[in-house]
Amino acid sequence: MPFPNDATYNKESVIQLADAIMANWKTDASEVPDLDVGQLFATIKLICEHVSSIEKYTEVDKDMQALLAVATATSWFSKEQTEKLDEWLEEVASPDEPEDWLPSFPEEETRQAVLKGLGAHTAVVTIDKAGKSIDIGYEGGSYGQGKHDGSVRITEGHLRIYDSRYPGKHLVSHDDLPSNPADLKWCMQSTNWDYGWDEEEEKG
């Protein structure tokens, strides 16, 4: 199998490169057809530099992990190159910690955002640090469909309104997720919402 020395950081290229190495990884470099160790190392280096430049690397790339693991297991590279491969392998296996967005929503400011955004009479904020979510139960609020009791739920991926008049159904915001209470108030007053069903969330 030829070595794709023009490989870049994409799933297909990384897998092709890993397959090419894996087919010969126990063979001495001098006996592997078309192997240019310097070029191979340079290709892997460019790919790893691309991964390092990713602003939010929050999930381990298993294909990259496999590529680097098989590369460092060969006897083809110099001591310095092998140490660098090991370093890259450790980096690829260590994703960035997800940003903790909960502190950006102080309890009182968040409560006021829902009171003002929905014109609610009361609001109670519950912050779930373990589950990374915020629930704001309110009474007498309205998003334009009449006064009602309900709750607002903020997670890392969604902003939803649950209207107690419609069990099993919720509103999903299609605006950018709020990053602070001021954004939350703005979203509450936006018209960019659509309906979703709770069973869809459970299936997903």
Side-chain angles (χ1 to χ4, degrees):
M1 177 180 292
F3 288 88
N5 290 322
D6 59 346
T8 57
Y9 182 56
N10 62 70
K11 187 177 182 68
E12 183 179 356
S13 289
V14 170
I15 291 175
Q16 286 178 349
L17 192 56
D19 285 345
I21 297 173
M22 202 170 297
N24 299 280
W25 72 288
K26 280 296 186 182
T27 305
D28 187 81
S30 62
E31 299 177 8
V32 179
D34 302 319
L35 172 60
D36 182 330
V37 175
Q39 180 61 58
L40 176 59
F41 183 81
T43 299
I44 295 174
K45 180 175 183 288
L46 283 174
I47 295 174
C48 289
E49 286 175 347
H50 188 129
V51 175
S52 297
S53 71
I54 297 175
E55 186 174 348
K56 291 185 178 181
Y57 180 72
T58 57
E59 185 175 347
V60 174
D61 187 326
K62 299 289 188 179
D63 297 324
M64 278 297 301
Q65 201 172 20
L67 167 61
L68 290 165
V70 70
T72 194
T74 70
S75 60
W76 304 344
F77 302 98
S78 68
K79 179 182 177 182
E80 292 75 15
Q81 288 173 329
T82 300
E83 289 175 351
K84 198 63 182 176
L85 288 168
D86 289 337
E87 181 182 318
W88 290 331
L89 177 57
E90 185 175 350
E91 289 179 3
V92 165
S94 306
D96 299 331
E97 288 293 327
E99 184 179 349
D100 187 3
W101 53 274
L102 292 176
S104 298
F105 288 85
E107 185 172 334
E108 180 57 24
E109 292 178 34
T110 301
R111 189 178 77 88
Q112 289 296 327
V114 171
L115 287 173
K116 295 174 181 178
L118 295 178
H121 300 317
T122 64
V124 177
V125 178
T126 302
I127 299 176
D128 182 355
K129 293 183 178 180
K132 296 287 185 181
S133 66
I134 301 175
D135 286 281
I136 309 100
Y138 62 85
E139 295 179 345
S142 175
Y143 48 83
Q145 298 294 324
K147 291 287 186 180
H148 65 282
D149 299 340
S151 65
V152 174
R153 183 172 176 80
I154 312 169
T155 66
E156 289 181 335
H158 301 284
L159 171 62
R160 293 190 169 111
I161 293 176
Y162 292 86
D163 186 332
S164 62
R165 297 173 298 181
Y166 308 114
K169 192 176 182 180
H170 57 261
L171 283 165
V172 184
S173 173
H174 291 289
D175 290 312
D176 291 338
L177 287 174
S179 57
N180 53 54
D183 289 347
L184 176 60
K185 178 185 174 183
W186 186 91
C187 288
M188 296 290 96
Q189 297 173 335
S190 170
T191 58
N192 197 17
W193 295 77
D194 202 358
Y195 285 104
W197 299 92
D198 293 351
E199 55 263 34
E200 292 179 0
E201 182 179 353
E202 292 169 4
K203 290 177 183 176

